[in-house]
Structure formats: structure tokens, C-alpha cells
Amino acid sequence: MTIRIFVVEDHHVMRTTLRHYLGLQDDLVVCGAASSAEQAMERLEDADPDVVLVDVSLPGRSGLDLVDDVRSRWPLPCLVLSGHGERSYVQRALDRGAAGYVLKGRPEEVPEALRRVVAGGSHVAASLRGMVTLPEA
């Protein structure tokens, strides 16, 4: 089964890098991308993803606002990808419906996290697990 990923990341180089890196996995494909929450909401339905990979820091509405919007409209899991490793960011993302949270700079964790959340589970970066309450699977 191929997992279709929609990437929401405001930095062009990071979006391009994610598309390339995830494309190296046999079972992962990036089916669309956006640089803002507003743009993502316009493009998500046509992209028909299995999961949304969302940066926390976006221009305009935040990635956490986007998680709210996506979860209220579609039954899609959202995996947050962020440079913020503080407990408050992680717990707020999980409380708002994100299925997981991974850190930028740890790319090896992203493919497995995507697989896990698409399968109905949750994933929080190993370095953050002891500081947050995981969502119910």
C-alpha cells in the first residue's frame, strides 16, 4: 500500500527536501504541498492524501489551527513536524487532534511516524515521549 502525504511547510527548501526524502521510501509518495494553512485547505481535497504532515510555524494561521481545520472537515490524521521541542507545543498539538509530533532534524523518524499514524496509531518523537500525554489510539 502506498501512503499519500500532503506536506504543509512554509520554507521552499524544506518542502522540496521532504518531497525528495519521503519519495525515497518505496511506500510513501507526496501527493501535494502547500506553504500556508489557507493554501492547504484549498488543495487538500483534490490531493486525496492519507495523512497531512504539518509544520507548526506557518504564516497566517498556525499549523495547530490547520490541524483543527483538517480534523473538523476530513477524517485525516495529521502529523506535526516542528523545530519546537518544548512540552507546551507538543501537548497542544496532541490536544488539538494531531496523531503525532516529530522534530525537524530527525528525518529518520518521519517515515515510521507517518506509517504509524496512517495505521491508526500515534507517534511522538522519542526524545519527547516522557513529557506529554499521548492521544488514545
Side-chain angles (χ1 to χ4, degrees), residues 115-129:
R115 292 179 189 109
R116 189 170 288 155
V117 300
V118 167
S122 62
H123 181 92
V124 172
S127 62
L128 304 173
R129 286 186 194 141

Side-chain angles (χ1 to χ4, degrees), residues 86-112:
E86 297 85 6
R87 181 192 180 286
S88 62
Y89 279 97
V90 182
Q91 193 64 60
R92 278 189 311 185
L94 297 174
D95 290 347
R96 290 176 83 165
Y101 196 103
V102 290
L103 294 171
K104 290 181 177 177
R106 300 291 313 228
E108 67 280 0
E109 267 193 276
V110 177
E112 183 55 35

